[in-house]
Amino acid sequence: YMTEQEILKEFEILEMGSQFISNNFKGLQKKFGGRFIAIGNKEVVANADTFDDIKKILDAQKFDFSKTIVQFIPREGEIILY
């Protein structure tokens, strides 16, 4: 089980990554539209065509996947519904 402090840290990482994507969305969309990106420490640390590929990149670079936000960035004009 995770401690309360670990859970709060994960929420903080999620919030930081989400905020980075929101604040930089247009630039990210121009550069990475149609791809998955991984955000770590308020920067793009990897990008790939598929989630599996980005996971392989993160594993190869020894990134802590639990401290990284992975998000698909749609192309300009695309709408993604969840």
Side-chain angles (χ1 to χ4, degrees):
Y1 294 98
M2 293 177 70
T3 66
E4 183 177 336
Q5 194 166 11
E6 290 171 324
I7 292 169
L8 290 173
K9 183 66 176 169
E10 288 210 5
F11 275 119
E12 183 181 309
I13 291 166
L14 178 61
E15 177 64 26
M16 189 171 40
S18 297
Q19 195 170 44
F20 175 83
I21 292 169
S22 292
N23 292 343
N24 299 284
F25 188 75
K26 288 293 181 191
L28 293 170
Q29 193 172 45
K30 285 181 192 240
K31 190 169 183 179
F32 302 107
R35 297 178 65 82
F36 286 87
I37 62 170
I39 305 295
N41 297 321
K42 298 182 184 179
E43 66 179 342
V44 177
V45 295
N47 71 90
D49 289 326
T50 68
F51 181 84
D52 288 341
D53 287 345
I54 210 160
K55 175 92 170 80
K56 288 175 189 172
I57 292 167
L58 294 173
D59 287 344
Q61 295 178 356
K62 307 236 187 287
F63 273 95
D64 185 347
F65 200 72
S66 69
K67 294 181 178 151
T68 308
I69 303 298
V70 176
Q71 176 77 42
F72 179 77
I73 302 296
R75 290 178 181 89
E76 291 183 77
E78 284 184 336
I79 297 174
I80 305 296
L81 299 176
Y82 295 93

